[in-house]
Amino acid sequence: MRRSFKSTIAGLALVALATTTVGPALADSGSSRGIGDAYFTSEEAADYSKDIEKTLAETGARVAIVFRAGRDRDQLPEGIDYTHGAFWVYQPIQREDGSTMKGYVVWNLFHGDGETLPRTQSELVQDFPFDFVTGAKAEDLAVIVPTPSMQKRIMTMMAEGRYEAVHDPDYSVIASPFDDKYQNCTEFLLDVVAAAAWQTTDYRQLKVNLSAHFEASTVKTGPLARLFGPLVDEQVKLSDHRGKPIRTVSYASLARFMLDNGYADETFKVTPSSVGGTRIVMR
Amino acid sequence: MRMTIKVTLIGLTSLGLSGVAAADSFSSLSEATGDSADASARFVASGGQVALGAVAVPLALVGATTESAGSAATTIAGDLWDTANAPLSVDNDIAMAQPLPHVPRTPDADTKSGEQ
C-alpha cells in the first residue's frame, strides 16, 4: 500500500513536471556541454564565439556578462529567455606550447555532475567562449557590458580572490537572490556585481541591500509543479521562497538593475546570420 | 523604467548557417576534440587554429607576487583603464577546454599515469 501510494505521488509529479516545467527547464549551469544535441556545429560555434569576442573587443570591454539559452525556448517558463550566464574576461590565454594569445576567458558557476560533485552543489569553473557557445540551444546570446569602473572593480575582485568569497556552493536552480540559503549562476553574477558596487563581500549585508534595491524576475509555474518539483528534482529548492511567488535572477532583471543604477553602459543581443548580425540595443 | 528596443544592424562575420545544415556536426564536445588533428582541419576555415587545453593566465594586481602567474600575468594596473573603451585586439585562435579525462579506478589499469 505504501509503495503504491509513493508510486502514485511520483507519477503525479512527473505528469505535473511534463506540463509545467521549472527545474529541468532552467537547469543549464552544468558545464558548457549543454543538454541534448548541439545546436551549433563545432565550426559554427568557433566562428560565432570568435565574432562575439571581436564585438566585445571593439567596444573595449574587458569584462562582459554573457547569457545563453541552454534549453529550447519552448521549454522555458514564461519570462525566462536564458538559462546560463557568465563573465567573459579579457585576459591572456596560454597555449599548451607556452605561447600566449589574446582573447576572453569565461568565468562560470556550474552545478555538479552528480559524479565528481553532487548536483546540489556548485563550483566556479573557467572555460572559453567556444565552450560557452557550444552549450547554447538558441542562436541568440545576450550581453551586458558593465561600465569601465565596474569592469575594473570586478577584475580586481577576481585578482584579489574576493570573487570566490561570494560563492555559495549550495545550489538551487531557482535560487532566491534575497537570502543566503542557495545560489545559482545568475544569482552569483548579481552577487559579484553587488559586491563590486557596495565594495563588500559581507554576504548577509549584500542580501539585505539586494532585498531593498533589486527587482527579481518571477518564474510562473503551476501549483502541481511547485508541490512536486522538489520531490522529482533535487536541484529544485523552494524553502528559500517561503510560500511566496518564485522569484529569481534573470538576464532581464540583472540588465535592468545594472542599467538603472549606472553599473552598465549597455546591453544587447547578438545572433549569427548569413547576411549580418542583429544587435538589439536595449535601453 | 521601461525598456525600449532599438534594432541596430551591425555586420558580423557571415556564418552561412543555411549552407552548413548538412555539414558534419558533433554530438558532443568530446567527439569534437577527440581527434585534434581532424578538429584543427575543420577550424582552418575560421582563420584560426585550435588551442586545445589552453589555460587562462591568472589575473594579478600590480606589485603582487604570484608564483603561478609568472611574468605573463595580467595586471590590473591603473594605466590599463586610462584608455577605457578603446578597442582591444583578439587573436583568431580558438581556445577550448580539454574534455574530462577518464581515469581508471585502479592504478594497475591506469596506463596513462605520470605527467606527459
Side-chain angles (χ1 to χ4, degrees):
Chain A
M1 172 66 89
R2 180 175 290 180
R3 182 178 297 179
S4 174
F5 179 71
K6 284 186 177 179
S7 297
T8 302
I9 294 297
L12 286 172
L14 288 173
V15 169
L17 286 177
T19 54
T20 313
T21 55
V22 176
L26 291 177
D28 171 30
S29 293
S31 87
S32 286
R33 299 186 183 189
I35 302 170
D37 294 335
Y39 184 87
F40 296 110
T41 65
S42 291
E43 292 90 340
E44 290 167 346
D47 283 343
Y48 189 23
S49 60
K50 189 57 62 179
D51 282 343
I52 299 172
E53 286 191 83
K54 291 182 177 178
T55 297
L56 292 177
E58 287 172 5
T59 66
R62 286 182 168 75
V63 178
I65 307 173
V66 185
F67 296 81
R68 74 182 182 204
R71 285 285 202 176
D72 292 336
R73 282 271 159 68
D74 57 9
Q75 296 180 1
L76 297 182
E78 183 179 343
I80 303 295
D81 292 326
Y82 303 96
T83 58
H84 178 61
F87 292 105
W88 287 33
V89 180
Y90 183 77
Q91 60 188 105
I93 299 166
Q94 188 173 62
R95 303 183 183 89
E96 284 192 316
D97 63 5
S99 62
T100 58
M101 54 181 277
K102 298 175 183 178
Y104 287 81
V105 175
V106 183
W107 296 55
N108 303 276
L109 178 149
F110 288 144
H111 66 71
D113 58 7
E115 296 181 8
T116 58
L117 185 72
R119 295 179 69 249
T120 54
Q121 296 286 295
S122 69
E123 57 184 344
L124 301 180
V125 177
Q126 291 182 8
D127 58 17
F128 301 101
F130 169 82
D131 306 293
F132 187 91
V133 171
T134 296
K137 297 296 184 292
E139 65 172 14
D140 61 289
L141 274 67
V143 180
I144 302 172
V145 181
T147 61
S149 293
M150 284 297 289
Q151 292 180 37
K152 182 179 180 181
R153 288 188 178 193
I154 292 170
M155 284 190 81
T156 303
M157 284 181 60
M158 291 171 169
E160 291 180 342
R162 292 184 290 119
Y163 169 83
E164 293 84 354
V166 294
H167 173 226
D168 177 357
D170 291 324
Y171 181 82
S172 169
V173 69
I174 47 171
S176 167
F178 303 125
D179 65 33
D180 59 359
K181 207 163 186 180
Y182 304 110
Q183 188 184 63
N184 61 9
C185 64
T186 47
E187 182 186 353
F188 176 67
L189 296 173
L190 173 65
D191 289 342
V192 172
V193 168
W198 276 289
Q199 298 278 60
T200 181
T201 55
D202 183 330
Y203 202 66
R204 290 197 172 183
Q205 183 61 57
L206 290 176
K207 295 293 116 175
V208 169
N209 295 345
L210 289 171
S211 295
H213 299 289
F214 179 73
E215 186 176 343
S217 298
T218 300
V219 178
K220 298 179 181 178
T221 183
L224 285 179
R226 185 170 182 135
L227 180 62
F228 294 111
L231 296 176
V232 178
D233 189 340
E234 59 187 344
Q235 291 182 330
V236 176
K237 310 285 187 185
L238 292 175
S239 59
D240 53 337
H241 296 282
R242 301 185 183 90
K244 297 178 182 177
I246 297 173
R247 305 186 70 197
T248 190
V249 183
S250 67
Y251 151 70
S253 57
L254 181 60
R256 187 183 312 112
F257 174 73
M258 294 185 71
L259 286 172
D260 286 353
N261 295 291
Y263 304 148
D265 278 343
E266 63 175 337
T267 180
F268 56 87
K269 297 183 181 181
V270 290
T271 62
S273 170
S274 59
V275 178
T278 303
R279 180 171 162 167
I280 305 172
V281 181
M282 304 176 72
R283 280 278 178 262
Chain B
M1 178 178 175
R2 296 185 62 184
M3 300 175 86
T4 58
I5 300 175
K6 296 185 294 184
V7 177
T8 304
L9 290 176
I10 296 179
L12 294 175
T13 302
S14 168
L15 284 182
L17 283 176
S18 60
V20 296
D24 292 342
S25 58
F26 300 108
S27 61
S28 70
L29 183 59
S30 59
E31 280 187 77
T33 57
D35 185 336
S36 60
D38 184 46
S40 293
R42 293 176 185 273
F43 289 122
V44 165
S46 303
Q49 300 292 318
V50 171
L52 183 64
V55 293
V57 176
L59 299 175
L61 296 174
V62 176
T65 55
T66 53
E67 293 181 359
S68 60
S71 60
T74 300
T75 53
I76 318 299
D79 58 0
L80 186 71
W81 305 97
D82 289 344
T83 55
N85 294 335
L88 305 169
S89 64
V90 171
D91 289 323
N92 288 324
D93 289 6
I94 306 295
M96 61 177 66
Q98 290 179 312
L100 283 171
H102 169 67
V103 179
R105 183 173 176 275
T106 56
D108 57 348
D110 188 6
T111 59
K112 294 184 180 179
S113 62
E115 290 191 359
Q116 298 176 356

mmCIF file of all heavy atoms in Angstrom, chain A residues 176-208:
data_model
loop_
_atom_site.group_PDB
_atom_site.id
_atom_site.type_symbol
_atom_site.label_atom_id
_atom_site.label_comp_id
_atom_site.label_asym_id
_atom_site.label_seq_id
_atom_site.Cartn_x
_atom_site.Cartn_y
_atom_site.Cartn_z
ATOM 1 N N SER A 176 16.541 31.984 -4.686
ATOM 2 C CA SER A 176 16.102 33.344 -4.414
ATOM 3 C C SER A 176 17.325 34.227 -4.200
ATOM 4 O O SER A 176 18.245 33.853 -3.482
ATOM 5 C CB SER A 176 15.234 33.384 -3.154
ATOM 6 O OG SER A 176 15.065 34.719 -2.723
ATOM 7 N N PRO A 177 17.355 35.429 -4.781
ATOM 8 C CA PRO A 177 18.513 36.312 -4.607
ATOM 9 C C PRO A 177 18.486 37.081 -3.298
ATOM 10 O O PRO A 177 19.394 37.877 -3.030
ATOM 11 C CB PRO A 177 18.384 37.276 -5.787
ATOM 12 C CG PRO A 177 16.923 37.364 -6.033
ATOM 13 C CD PRO A 177 16.381 35.993 -5.748
ATOM 14 N N PHE A 178 17.449 36.841 -2.472
ATOM 15 C CA PHE A 178 17.272 37.672 -1.296
ATOM 16 C C PHE A 178 17.695 37.016 0.006
ATOM 17 O O PHE A 178 17.464 37.581 1.082
ATOM 18 C CB PHE A 178 15.808 38.133 -1.203
ATOM 19 C CG PHE A 178 15.348 38.877 -2.424
ATOM 20 C CD1 PHE A 178 14.220 38.479 -3.120
ATOM 21 C CD2 PHE A 178 16.069 39.969 -2.889
ATOM 22 C CE1 PHE A 178 13.799 39.168 -4.259
ATOM 23 C CE2 PHE A 178 15.666 40.665 -4.021
ATOM 24 C CZ PHE A 178 14.532 40.267 -4.700
ATOM 25 N N ASP A 179 18.259 35.820 -0.070
ATOM 26 C CA ASP A 179 18.788 35.210 1.141
ATOM 27 C C ASP A 179 20.045 34.416 0.809
ATOM 28 O O ASP A 179 20.422 34.301 -0.361
ATOM 29 C CB ASP A 179 17.739 34.331 1.829
ATOM 30 C CG ASP A 179 17.342 33.127 0.994
ATOM 31 O OD1 ASP A 179 18.186 32.583 0.249
ATOM 32 O OD2 ASP A 179 16.184 32.715 1.082
ATOM 33 N N ASP A 180 20.676 33.888 1.842
ATOM 34 C CA ASP A 180 21.967 33.212 1.672
ATOM 35 C C ASP A 180 21.833 31.694 1.689
ATOM 36 O O ASP A 180 22.795 30.985 1.950
ATOM 37 C CB ASP A 180 22.950 33.666 2.744
ATOM 38 C CG ASP A 180 22.439 33.385 4.164
ATOM 39 O OD1 ASP A 180 21.308 32.862 4.302
ATOM 40 O OD2 ASP A 180 23.168 33.696 5.119
ATOM 41 N N LYS A 181 20.618 31.192 1.382
ATOM 42 C CA LYS A 181 20.413 29.763 1.517
ATOM 43 C C LYS A 181 20.970 28.979 0.316
ATOM 44 O O LYS A 181 21.716 28.024 0.484
ATOM 45 C CB LYS A 181 18.922 29.481 1.682
ATOM 46 C CG LYS A 181 18.616 28.222 2.452
ATOM 47 C CD LYS A 181 17.176 28.201 2.941
ATOM 48 C CE LYS A 181 16.952 26.993 3.846
ATOM 49 N NZ LYS A 181 15.570 26.918 4.352
ATOM 50 N N TYR A 182 20.589 29.413 -0.879
ATOM 51 C CA TYR A 182 21.038 28.735 -2.080
ATOM 52 C C TYR A 182 21.488 29.774 -3.104
ATOM 53 O O TYR A 182 21.218 30.961 -2.973
ATOM 54 C CB TYR A 182 19.905 27.889 -2.702
ATOM 55 C CG TYR A 182 19.301 26.876 -1.771
ATOM 56 C CD1 TYR A 182 18.003 27.031 -1.291
ATOM 57 C CD2 TYR A 182 20.033 25.760 -1.366
ATOM 58 C CE1 TYR A 182 17.441 26.103 -0.436
ATOM 59 C CE2 TYR A 182 19.480 24.832 -0.504
ATOM 60 C CZ TYR A 182 18.179 25.004 -0.042
ATOM 61 O OH TYR A 182 17.628 24.081 0.814
ATOM 62 N N GLN A 183 22.156 29.274 -4.149
ATOM 63 C CA GLN A 183 22.652 30.185 -5.183
ATOM 64 C C GLN A 183 22.688 29.452 -6.515
ATOM 65 O O GLN A 183 22.975 28.253 -6.546
ATOM 66 C CB GLN A 183 24.054 30.684 -4.818
ATOM 67 C CG GLN A 183 24.605 31.796 -5.716
ATOM 68 C CD GLN A 183 26.042 32.142 -5.337
ATOM 69 O OE1 GLN A 183 26.934 31.315 -5.437
ATOM 70 N NE2 GLN A 183 26.267 33.372 -4.901
ATOM 71 N N ASN A 184 22.372 30.158 -7.597
ATOM 72 C CA ASN A 184 22.562 29.609 -8.937
ATOM 73 C C ASN A 184 23.478 30.554 -9.707
ATOM 74 O O ASN A 184 23.982 31.534 -9.147
ATOM 75 C CB ASN A 184 21.235 29.370 -9.658
ATOM 76 C CG ASN A 184 20.436 30.648 -9.862
ATOM 77 O OD1 ASN A 184 20.935 31.752 -9.612
ATOM 78 N ND2 ASN A 184 19.203 30.517 -10.317
ATOM 79 N N CYS A 185 23.693 30.278 -10.965
ATOM 80 C CA CYS A 185 24.702 31.045 -11.713
ATOM 81 C C CYS A 185 24.309 32.506 -11.867
ATOM 82 O O CYS A 185 25.174 33.391 -11.758
ATOM 83 C CB CYS A 185 24.952 30.423 -13.089
ATOM 84 S SG CYS A 185 23.530 30.447 -14.201
ATOM 85 N N THR A 186 23.026 32.785 -12.091
ATOM 86 C CA THR A 186 22.633 34.177 -12.297
ATOM 87 C C THR A 186 22.647 34.963 -10.987
ATOM 88 O O THR A 186 23.006 36.148 -10.976
ATOM 89 C CB THR A 186 21.244 34.257 -12.949
ATOM 90 O OG1 THR A 186 20.345 33.370 -12.265
ATOM 91 C CG2 THR A 186 21.313 33.872 -14.413
ATOM 92 N N GLU A 187 22.293 34.305 -9.887
ATOM 93 C CA GLU A 187 22.388 34.988 -8.595
ATOM 94 C C GLU A 187 23.857 35.269 -8.270
ATOM 95 O O GLU A 187 24.176 36.325 -7.713
ATOM 96 C CB GLU A 187 21.768 34.170 -7.467
ATOM 97 C CG GLU A 187 21.820 34.913 -6.120
ATOM 98 C CD GLU A 187 21.354 34.078 -4.939
ATOM 99 O OE1 GLU A 187 20.853 32.954 -5.163
ATOM 100 O OE2 GLU A 187 21.498 34.550 -3.801
ATOM 101 N N PHE A 188 24.737 34.360 -8.630
ATOM 102 C CA PHE A 188 26.164 34.590 -8.390
ATOM 103 C C PHE A 188 26.643 35.822 -9.170
ATOM 104 O O PHE A 188 27.394 36.644 -8.656
ATOM 105 C CB PHE A 188 26.981 33.360 -8.782
ATOM 106 C CG PHE A 188 28.459 33.558 -8.646
ATOM 107 C CD1 PHE A 188 29.058 33.728 -7.402
ATOM 108 C CD2 PHE A 188 29.271 33.580 -9.772
ATOM 109 C CE1 PHE A 188 30.427 33.923 -7.274
ATOM 110 C CE2 PHE A 188 30.650 33.769 -9.646
ATOM 111 C CZ PHE A 188 31.222 33.947 -8.405
ATOM 112 N N LEU A 189 26.193 35.958 -10.414
ATOM 113 C CA LEU A 189 26.549 37.143 -11.198
ATOM 114 C C LEU A 189 26.088 38.408 -10.473
ATOM 115 O O LEU A 189 26.837 39.382 -10.348
ATOM 116 C CB LEU A 189 25.906 37.088 -12.579
ATOM 117 C CG LEU A 189 26.348 35.963 -13.520
ATOM 118 C CD1 LEU A 189 25.485 35.966 -14.775
ATOM 119 C CD2 LEU A 189 27.809 36.108 -13.888
ATOM 120 N N LEU A 190 24.849 38.381 -10.013
ATOM 121 C CA LEU A 190 24.303 39.526 -9.285
ATOM 122 C C LEU A 190 25.113 39.793 -8.014
ATOM 123 O O LEU A 190 25.400 40.948 -7.686
ATOM 124 C CB LEU A 190 22.844 39.261 -8.925
ATOM 125 C CG LEU A 190 22.172 40.293 -8.009
ATOM 126 C CD1 LEU A 190 22.070 41.650 -8.700
ATOM 127 C CD2 LEU A 190 20.798 39.811 -7.556
ATOM 128 N N ASP A 191 25.478 38.740 -7.310
ATOM 129 C CA ASP A 191 26.234 38.905 -6.060
ATOM 130 C C ASP A 191 27.609 39.514 -6.328
ATOM 131 O O ASP A 191 28.085 40.346 -5.538
ATOM 132 C CB ASP A 191 26.376 37.559 -5.345
ATOM 133 C CG ASP A 191 25.046 37.080 -4.761
ATOM 134 O OD1 ASP A 191 24.121 37.893 -4.611
ATOM 135 O OD2 ASP A 191 24.948 35.863 -4.464
ATOM 136 N N VAL A 192 28.246 39.126 -7.399
ATOM 137 C CA VAL A 192 29.544 39.718 -7.743
ATOM 138 C C VAL A 192 29.367 41.190 -8.105
ATOM 139 O O VAL A 192 30.135 42.047 -7.655
ATOM 140 C CB VAL A 192 30.201 38.955 -8.913
ATOM 141 C CG1 VAL A 192 31.453 39.698 -9.395
ATOM 142 C CG2 VAL A 192 30.567 37.539 -8.488
ATOM 143 N N VAL A 193 28.345 41.484 -8.877
ATOM 144 C CA VAL A 193 28.066 42.879 -9.246
ATOM 145 C C VAL A 193 27.772 43.698 -7.989
ATOM 146 O O VAL A 193 28.278 44.814 -7.812
ATOM 147 C CB VAL A 193 26.884 42.948 -10.227
ATOM 148 C CG1 VAL A 193 26.380 44.382 -10.386
ATOM 149 C CG2 VAL A 193 27.289 42.380 -11.590
ATOM 150 N N ALA A 194 26.965 43.126 -7.112
ATOM 151 C CA ALA A 194 26.622 43.833 -5.873
ATOM 152 C C ALA A 194 27.857 44.040 -4.997
ATOM 153 O O ALA A 194 28.044 45.117 -4.413
ATOM 154 C CB ALA A 194 25.549 43.047 -5.109
ATOM 155 N N ALA A 195 28.692 43.015 -4.904
ATOM 156 C CA ALA A 195 29.920 43.134 -4.113
ATOM 157 C C ALA A 195 30.832 44.212 -4.686
ATOM 158 O O ALA A 195 31.482 44.955 -3.948
ATOM 159 C CB ALA A 195 30.652 41.787 -4.071
ATOM 160 N N ALA A 196 30.882 44.299 -6.003
ATOM 161 C CA ALA A 196 31.694 45.331 -6.649
ATOM 162 C C ALA A 196 31.094 46.712 -6.418
ATOM 163 O O ALA A 196 31.814 47.691 -6.206
ATOM 164 C CB ALA A 196 31.799 45.040 -8.152
ATOM 165 N N ALA A 197 29.772 46.800 -6.464
ATOM 166 C CA ALA A 197 29.111 48.092 -6.291
ATOM 167 C C ALA A 197 29.235 48.584 -4.849
ATOM 168 O O ALA A 197 29.602 49.739 -4.607
ATOM 169 C CB ALA A 197 27.641 47.984 -6.692
ATOM 170 N N TRP A 198 28.923 47.718 -3.890
ATOM 171 C CA TRP A 198 28.957 48.116 -2.481
ATOM 172 C C TRP A 198 30.317 47.919 -1.834
ATOM 173 O O TRP A 198 30.502 48.235 -0.667
ATOM 174 C CB TRP A 198 27.888 47.334 -1.698
ATOM 175 C CG TRP A 198 26.530 47.966 -1.782
ATOM 176 C CD1 TRP A 198 26.121 49.131 -1.195
ATOM 177 C CD2 TRP A 198 25.391 47.466 -2.506
ATOM 178 N NE1 TRP A 198 24.800 49.371 -1.500
ATOM 179 C CE2 TRP A 198 24.326 48.376 -2.302
ATOM 180 C CE3 TRP A 198 25.154 46.345 -3.297
ATOM 181 C CZ2 TRP A 198 23.060 48.189 -2.860
ATOM 182 C CZ3 TRP A 198 23.895 46.175 -3.845
ATOM 183 C CH2 TRP A 198 22.862 47.080 -3.637
ATOM 184 N N GLN A 199 31.270 47.414 -2.602
ATOM 185 C CA GLN A 199 32.647 47.250 -2.115
ATOM 186 C C GLN A 199 32.703 46.438 -0.821
ATOM 187 O O GLN A 199 33.393 46.805 0.138
ATOM 188 C CB GLN A 199 33.306 48.623 -1.900
ATOM 189 C CG GLN A 199 33.416 49.448 -3.174
ATOM 190 C CD GLN A 199 34.621 49.062 -4.017
ATOM 191 O OE1 GLN A 199 34.769 47.940 -4.463
ATOM 192 N NE2 GLN A 199 35.508 50.005 -4.260
ATOM 193 N N THR A 200 31.961 45.336 -0.806
ATOM 194 C CA THR A 200 31.985 44.453 0.339
ATOM 195 C C THR A 200 31.655 43.037 -0.099
ATOM 196 O O THR A 200 30.926 42.846 -1.071
ATOM 197 C CB THR A 200 30.976 44.898 1.427
ATOM 198 O OG1 THR A 200 31.064 43.991 2.537
ATOM 199 C CG2 THR A 200 29.539 44.848 0.899
ATOM 200 N N THR A 201 32.215 42.076 0.615
ATOM 201 C CA THR A 201 31.852 40.674 0.381
ATOM 202 C C THR A 201 31.087 40.118 1.583
ATOM 203 O O THR A 201 30.927 38.908 1.719
ATOM 204 C CB THR A 201 33.094 39.811 0.112
ATOM 205 O OG1 THR A 201 34.019 39.973 1.189
ATOM 206 C CG2 THR A 201 33.751 40.204 -1.196
ATOM 207 N N ASP A 202 30.623 41.026 2.446
ATOM 208 C CA ASP A 202 29.765 40.614 3.570
ATOM 209 C C ASP A 202 28.452 40.134 2.964
ATOM 210 O O ASP A 202 27.607 40.936 2.558
ATOM 211 C CB ASP A 202 29.535 41.802 4.500
ATOM 212 C CG ASP A 202 28.702 41.430 5.729
ATOM 213 O OD1 ASP A 202 27.852 40.517 5.617
ATOM 214 O OD2 ASP A 202 28.894 42.044 6.778
ATOM 215 N N TYR A 203 28.281 38.808 2.889
ATOM 216 C CA TYR A 203 27.185 38.248 2.131
ATOM 217 C C TYR A 203 25.826 38.625 2.692
ATOM 218 O O TYR A 203 24.895 38.914 1.949
ATOM 219 C CB TYR A 203 27.332 36.721 2.046
ATOM 220 C CG TYR A 203 26.594 36.112 0.888
ATOM 221 C CD1 TYR A 203 26.979 36.376 -0.430
ATOM 222 C CD2 TYR A 203 25.495 35.281 1.090
ATOM 223 C CE1 TYR A 203 26.302 35.823 -1.503
ATOM 224 C CE2 TYR A 203 24.808 34.722 0.024
ATOM 225 C CZ TYR A 203 25.216 35.002 -1.269
ATOM 226 O OH TYR A 203 24.531 34.464 -2.341
ATOM 227 N N ARG A 204 25.724 38.619 4.007
ATOM 228 C CA ARG A 204 24.428 38.960 4.587
ATOM 229 C C ARG A 204 24.080 40.417 4.302
ATOM 230 O O ARG A 204 22.921 40.742 4.038
ATOM 231 C CB ARG A 204 24.435 38.694 6.087
ATOM 232 C CG ARG A 204 24.465 37.216 6.400
ATOM 233 C CD ARG A 204 24.062 36.914 7.823
ATOM 234 N NE ARG A 204 23.928 35.480 8.043
ATOM 235 C CZ ARG A 204 23.534 34.943 9.193
ATOM 236 N NH1 ARG A 204 23.220 35.720 10.218
ATOM 237 N NH2 ARG A 204 23.434 33.637 9.307
ATOM 238 N N GLN A 205 25.077 41.291 4.330
ATOM 239 C CA GLN A 205 24.828 42.689 4.028
ATOM 240 C C GLN A 205 24.399 42.839 2.570
ATOM 241 O O GLN A 205 23.503 43.634 2.252
ATOM 242 C CB GLN A 205 26.084 43.525 4.294
ATOM 243 C CG GLN A 205 25.898 45.020 4.066
ATOM 244 C CD GLN A 205 24.855 45.609 4.979
ATOM 245 O OE1 GLN A 205 24.944 45.523 6.200
ATOM 246 N NE2 GLN A 205 23.822 46.217 4.387
ATOM 247 N N LEU A 206 25.024 42.086 1.709
ATOM 248 C CA LEU A 206 24.654 42.146 0.294
ATOM 249 C C LEU A 206 23.205 41.704 0.096
ATOM 250 O O LEU A 206 22.461 42.292 -0.697
ATOM 251 C CB LEU A 206 25.586 41.269 -0.544
ATOM 252 C CG LEU A 206 27.026 41.752 -0.692
ATOM 253 C CD1 LEU A 206 27.857 40.727 -1.464
ATOM 254 C CD2 LEU A 206 27.082 43.098 -1.392
ATOM 255 N N LYS A 207 22.772 40.683 0.806
ATOM 256 C CA LYS A 207 21.406 40.201 0.666
ATOM 257 C C LYS A 207 20.416 41.247 1.178
ATOM 258 O O LYS A 207 19.332 41.433 0.615
ATOM 259 C CB LYS A 207 21.227 38.876 1.406
ATOM 260 C CG LYS A 207 22.044 37.710 0.828
ATOM 261 C CD LYS A 207 21.557 37.306 -0.548
ATOM 262 C CE LYS A 207 22.588 37.546 -1.601
ATOM 263 N NZ LYS A 207 22.187 37.060 -2.935
ATOM 264 N N VAL A 208 20.764 41.921 2.238
ATOM 265 C CA VAL A 208 19.891 42.990 2.750
ATOM 266 C C VAL A 208 19.802 44.116 1.713
ATOM 267 O O VAL A 208 18.716 44.630 1.422
ATOM 268 C CB VAL A 208 20.430 43.535 4.088
ATOM 269 C CG1 VAL A 208 19.690 44.802 4.492
ATOM 270 C CG2 VAL A 208 20.308 42.477 5.168
#
